[in-house]
Amino acid sequence: MSKAALLAAAAWTTAGAAWAADAAGGEGDAVEEVVVTGTRDVGRTPFTTLVPVDVLNQEALQASATPQLGENLAQQIPSFIVQRLPTSDGLQFVRPATLRNLSPDQTLVLLNGKRFHRSAFLGSRGAQGPDLAQISSFAVKRMEVLRDGASAQYGSDAIAGVINILLDDSAGLAAFGQAGQFYEGDGATYRLGVRGGMPLGEGGHATATAEWSQADATSRTRQRADAIAFAAAHPGVSVPDPVQRWGNPDLKTYQFAFDGALPLGTVAEAYAFATYAKTDGINDINWRNPDTNPAIFGATSVFPGFDLRAVYPAGFTPREGVHGRDIQAAGGIRHRDDERFTWDLSVSYGRNASRFFLENSINASLGPNSPTAFDLGRLVQKEVNFNADGVYRLQVAGLPEPVSIAFGAETRQETYEIETGDPASYAVGPGASAGLAPNSNGFPGFSPQQAGKWDQRSYAGYLDLEARLTERWSAGAALRYEDFSEFGDTWNGKVATRFELTPDIAVRASYSTGFRAPTPGQLNSTSTSQGLDTTTLQLFTAGRLSPTNPVAVFLGAKPLEPEESETVTAGLVWRTDMGLSGSLDAYQIDVTKRFSTSPTVTVTPAIRAQLVALGVPSAESFTRISWFTNDFDTRTRGVDVVVAYDGALGPGRIGLTGAYNYNQTKVTSGTLTASETQKRLFEDSRPKHNLTGSATWRWEKLELMARARYYGKWTDSTGNSTGDIFQDFGAVTFVDLAATWRFDERVSVRVGAENVFDTHPDEAVFQASRGLIYSRNSPYDTNGGLYYARVDLRF
């Protein structure tokens, strides 16, 4: 087996990538994967990089049934977790993704090497990370996952690592169709995609992709105990069973992508690429019980003769939805064919907009004048980047290879905007004086006081050196300066080294500092939310203020500062002539001034009067408020192990892969250390042990795949106002199976099942009062087994 094949095998971490199949279905030779993430030197491979990089090729990315790119990645990289979070406001549509148990916005996402913009929605603890679901998986040629701090090379956000998504630029026509459904008979998912590419000039190309998917809702629900009691007390009322549904939302997505390059003589080439996504989804949120919610269903002399029970006799379950629109576009001129000096001048634009709406609800304070459907307003995130990058390869006497000297400059304009919703969605109607709840019930709309547009500009410059000092020893160093208009400047650095003990065994290590800058949305936005106490089953209203809000400042809020990190990584990488290869990397990541919400302040009558006087939306109904703050410090320690084998088995070939991650995060200081509940949840709410293992056997036209995904134990809490009811969830293993038959070089059919044994985690006992069977905070899918069939065409 060739060294090139061994290098490629070391990069592959999924069953679908255990062999480098050609379209004709012949044996084919694996080709060496050249890494472009985390290095600006040419010719680096996963074996020769100074830091760990996983490479997922196109076959691996198409081996999963999910239409969402982030969930696909989570099935293949153990340290990458995507939560589904049913009935969690915008988080059920913009699913948070974490690498190495760090915040979703502490992983930098690149598209073709250019920064991919953030989502407009601020999630758990205020995180505002990119949404990988906006990119069509069918449009992706490969993904590279750098598992190391890289702020000195790429700037803000690269604390946990970097995910670089590379679009397909190949010629020819390809299409696919897929259909699947969960074992329980719901959640039917349909996907269609087509991709076409053609050459342009001498070495240019134009490739376009379109993908459509529709995922129906799922329900993993039992009837709520209070709904059963309500039905018994009101035998003449028809009560739905269940009154609310816990599960995946109804989701329809259209995605498009383009990648093109046009040679400009022999000097340079012009290039452009873009993605666009249109997403529409809707899902249930908490049921409103007429017997226990007088602030909604209470009769009052303000509205004589009006009884909301006439509109909703069995109560109501608001349905929250989103209309999402996302675009990323970049273009520029580059010269990359010179052995001595290459350069790249580019501009990119990204925009994510989420318009939220609410159906089957009410603004109780408006009484009979309230609509039952509301436009809640829109959140918009925009980013514009200008980049100038160059790489000069300096020949130095005595060194076996030229020194790679990379340098560049960047400026970025980031804008966050909140647009108002329907007046009725944020109105405080006449019924509020009689104790009826204001605003659209379930998700208050964005008011004029919340609305606004805020921006932040940054400037950066960097220098990045890599050199092969001897035949065995390589080293690199990077330094970056960045200045932000909202908080000032920062310096970050990185050093890395690699030494070959033998031609097939090498050790590597790195040290880096990093940072994550607060965004305009985190600095300026305010929000309100309603929830349900699982003990009292009463609604509560909470508000989050900007840290610059006068009331928040009065209560102790301070301007946000960047999160800062120090990362140390050390590891071993190896390959053999028998087809076995792998790597082992240990890491420690210290993050200070981590971003979170402040301790909650109970709203006293005096504080409430201040809020009302300042025009803070929904102030009349606040029971507690908070704000964003630099809250605590953490230390994350872990180990990544990746092993791959490729060889003959019987008449065919087998590819075996395994990837294991151990990850432990400890809170070392800050307010979380004073709260045992929050500290325990932060440290134990995700598994510390995760493992994926797969086997792919291929013989002529047949391919068989088996994959196991193991998640260790973890802990969840009730989420009540007391927050002191915990449940430990045991480890769980999911098994996926698939078989592919290639009729010829143009047509193939795959049938498979994910979670083939229909494995479910422990039931969430403490959340049963709401009808929820499995924890809403589960780090993996809880819908059970799914079967699917797929047809691929190539021309």
Side-chain angles (χ1 to χ4, degrees):
M1 187 177 185
S2 68
K3 290 292 187 186
L6 291 167
L7 292 170
W12 295 330
T13 58
T14 64
W19 46 272
D22 59 3
E27 286 300 321
D29 291 325
V31 295
E32 186 170 359
E33 297 277 8
V34 176
V35 172
V36 298
T37 308
T39 178
R40 291 179 171 89
D41 199 2
V42 295
R44 291 289 185 190
T45 69
F47 181 75
T48 61
T49 55
L50 306 185
V51 293
V53 180
D54 293 321
V55 180
L56 305 178
N57 65 13
Q58 197 167 50
E59 287 79 11
L61 295 172
Q62 297 304 312
S64 175
T66 176
Q68 298 210 2
L69 190 60
E71 293 181 6
N72 186 311
L73 188 61
Q75 292 181 351
Q76 306 180 62
I77 303 292
S79 60
F80 191 76
I81 289 177
V82 175
Q83 293 178 280
R84 298 218 175 196
L85 298 173
T87 313
S88 301
D89 291 336
L91 289 177
Q92 60 188 321
F93 306 112
V94 184
R95 294 167 179 163
T98 62
L99 183 65
R100 289 181 166 176
N101 199 24
L102 295 176
S103 176
D105 52 7
Q106 290 175 341
T107 299
L108 177 64
V109 175
L110 306 175
L111 183 66
N112 280 1
K114 309 298 181 183
R115 177 181 288 265
F116 189 74
H117 59 276
R118 310 176 193 276
S119 164
F121 187 78
L122 276 65
S124 175
R125 299 185 183 274
Q128 190 183 0
D131 185 6
L132 293 177
Q134 302 300 325
I135 301 173
S136 163
S137 62
F138 193 57
V140 178
K141 182 178 183 179
R142 76 175 191 269
M143 293 176 66
E144 298 180 356
V145 182
L146 168 65
R147 294 180 276 110
D148 195 40
S151 290
Q153 296 160 297
Y154 296 106
S156 178
D157 306 348
I159 290 177
V162 179
I163 298 173
N164 191 8
I165 302 166
L166 302 170
L167 296 176
D168 197 316
D169 57 2
S170 60
L173 181 65
F176 83 97
Q178 180 179 305
Q181 188 175 60
F182 287 100
Y183 287 10
E184 293 199 22
D186 59 6
T189 300
Y190 306 95
R191 300 175 61 193
L192 293 173
V194 61
R195 182 180 66 246
M198 63 180 183
L200 292 179
E202 294 294 328
H205 68 273
T207 304
T209 305
E211 182 174 354
W212 166 85
S213 67
Q214 178 174 313
D216 294 342
T218 62
S219 179
R220 301 297 175 264
T221 317
R222 296 190 181 105
Q223 182 66 303
R224 291 170 50 138
D226 57 339
I228 295 173
F230 178 84
H234 304 274
V237 177
S238 176
V239 180
D241 186 4
V243 290
Q244 79 177 86
R245 178 179 50 76
W246 293 91
N248 294 351
D250 277 307
L251 203 62
K252 182 180 291 185
T253 304
Y254 299 89
Q255 296 172 318
F256 305 91
F258 172 80
D259 188 281
L262 181 65
L264 302 176
T266 59
V267 177
E269 70 175 6
Y271 67 92
F273 56 89
T275 62
Y276 173 80
K278 175 179 180 290
T279 303
D280 299 289
I282 191 169
N283 206 4
D284 290 358
I285 53 180
N286 283 305
W287 176 61
R288 271 58 175 165
N289 186 337
D291 286 351
T292 59
N293 286 286
I296 305 172
F297 287 90
T300 172
S301 59
V302 177
F303 305 117
F306 176 71
D307 186 354
L308 185 57
R309 294 178 187 243
V311 181
Y312 297 122
F316 63 94
T317 300
R319 289 174 57 78
E320 178 193 341
V322 65
H323 298 305
R325 305 294 182 267
D326 187 278
I327 186 171
Q328 174 87 5
I333 301 175
R334 64 192 174 200
H335 181 48
R336 59 182 183 181
D337 294 330
D338 193 296
E339 293 184 358
R340 178 65 61 89
F341 179 56
T342 57
W343 50 266
D344 185 344
L345 303 176
S346 67
V347 58
S348 63
Y349 169 81
R351 180 179 184 271
N352 179 270
S354 297
R355 180 175 294 280
F356 292 95
F357 63 92
L358 199 66
E359 297 178 353
N360 200 49
S361 184
I362 198 78
N363 182 334
S365 71
L366 294 177
N369 299 316
S370 172
T372 58
F374 303 87
D375 177 353
L376 304 175
R378 186 167 66 163
L379 304 175
V380 182
Q381 170 78 13
K382 297 179 183 178
E383 298 177 30
V384 179
N385 292 269
F386 292 90
N387 290 82
D389 302 287
V391 179
Y392 183 77
R393 297 169 185 86
L394 177 65
Q395 188 68 56
V396 177
L399 296 186
E401 294 178 357
V403 177
S404 173
I405 306 173
F407 52 91
E410 174 186 359
T411 179
R412 181 167 70 257
Q413 179 82 20
E414 188 173 346
T415 304
Y416 190 76
E417 183 176 2
I418 300 177
E419 299 178 359
T420 59
D422 292 337
S425 71
Y426 55 81
V428 180
S433 61
L436 293 179
N439 319 132
S440 50
N441 202 273
F443 194 143
F446 304 120
S447 70
Q449 288 83 6
Q450 290 174 272
K453 181 185 289 188
W454 306 274
D455 57 29
Q456 177 173 258
R457 180 174 287 277
S458 65
Y459 300 89
Y462 72 88
L463 179 65
D464 189 352
L465 307 177
E466 281 191 44
R468 191 164 184 175
L469 304 177
T470 70
E471 289 294 336
R472 294 186 175 187
W473 182 27
S474 300
L479 184 66
R480 186 182 186 94
Y481 171 79
E482 199 143 357
D483 183 81
F484 287 79
S485 61
E486 298 306 297
F487 63 82
D489 59 3
T490 178
W491 286 90
N492 287 275
K494 181 172 184 175
V495 291
T497 188
R498 178 182 179 276
F499 185 79
E500 291 187 1
L501 302 175
T502 74
D504 296 322
I505 303 176
V507 293
R508 58 194 181 191
S510 68
Y511 168 81
S512 64
T513 63
F515 76 105
R516 191 198 67 77
T519 70
Q522 294 165 337
L523 290 165
N524 299 284
S525 67
T526 64
S527 71
T528 59
S529 62
Q530 289 182 316
L532 189 73
D533 190 295
T534 56
T535 296
T536 65
L537 296 179
Q538 295 295 307
L539 293 170
F540 58 83
T541 301
R544 175 183 55 76
L545 306 180
S546 163
T548 61
N549 181 281
V551 175
V553 172
F554 173 77
L555 294 171
K558 297 179 181 179
L560 292 174
E561 301 177 42
E563 298 173 322
E564 298 177 351
S565 68
E566 292 186 26
T567 300
V568 178
T569 301
L572 173 74
V573 60
W574 70 88
R575 59 188 181 184
T576 69
D577 289 329
M578 66 180 67
L580 180 66
S581 57
S583 63
L584 184 153
D585 294 279
Y587 57 87
Q588 176 175 296
I589 308 169
D590 290 302
V591 186
T592 60
K593 299 185 289 187
R594 288 197 65 164
F595 197 73
S596 185
T597 52
S598 70
T600 299
V601 176
T602 301
V603 178
T604 64
I607 294 175
R608 187 176 293 110
Q610 284 183 291
L611 295 174
V612 172
L614 290 166
V616 176
S618 304
E620 298 86 350
S621 63
F622 278 176
T623 56
R624 55 185 188 262
I625 61 174
S626 61
W627 55 87
F628 289 146
T629 182
N630 296 100
D631 193 40
F632 59 102
D633 304 337
T634 62
R635 169 167 287 178
T636 299
R637 288 173 170 168
V639 175
D640 285 320
V641 181
V642 177
V643 178
Y645 172 77
D646 181 73
L649 179 65
R653 295 193 67 82
I654 190 168
L656 301 175
T657 63
Y660 166 76
N661 170 252
Y662 169 77
N663 191 94
Q664 181 187 66
T665 297
K666 292 292 185 181
V667 178
T668 56
S669 65
T671 59
L672 283 189
T673 60
S675 170
E676 283 301 317
T677 295
Q678 292 302 314
K679 182 174 182 290
R680 181 177 176 186
L681 283 177
F682 190 86
E683 294 179 344
D684 298 332
S685 62
R686 295 189 181 95
K688 293 181 175 62
H689 299 271
N690 297 286
L691 172 70
T692 64
S694 62
T696 301
W697 185 72
R698 186 179 179 216
W699 173 58
E700 295 183 350
K701 297 182 177 182
L702 176 65
E703 176 194 327
L704 302 177
M705 184 275 287
R707 177 174 59 201
R709 296 175 280 132
Y710 171 87
Y711 299 88
K713 63 181 182 178
W714 58 285
T715 300
D716 198 7
S717 170
T718 176
N720 287 338
S721 56
T722 55
D724 56 1
I725 302 175
F726 291 94
Q727 181 177 349
D728 293 327
F729 293 85
V732 64
T733 300
F734 303 118
V735 176
D736 308 329
L737 299 175
T740 302
W741 181 263
R742 300 179 183 275
F743 291 92
D744 53 31
E745 68 274 11
R746 297 182 176 182
V747 182
S748 66
V749 175
R750 181 168 80 240
V751 293
E754 295 187 349
N755 190 3
V756 66
F757 299 118
D758 199 27
T759 302
H760 288 87
D762 302 335
E763 294 191 6
V765 177
F766 58 76
Q767 296 180 3
S769 61
R770 295 189 287 179
L772 181 62
I773 299 177
Y774 308 108
S775 173
R776 65 189 298 188
N777 298 313
S778 170
Y780 37 72
D781 179 40
T782 60
N783 284 289
L786 176 147
Y787 55 87
Y788 68 98
R790 172 172 173 142
V791 177
D792 278 276
L793 306 173
R794 294 183 179 183
F795 301 95

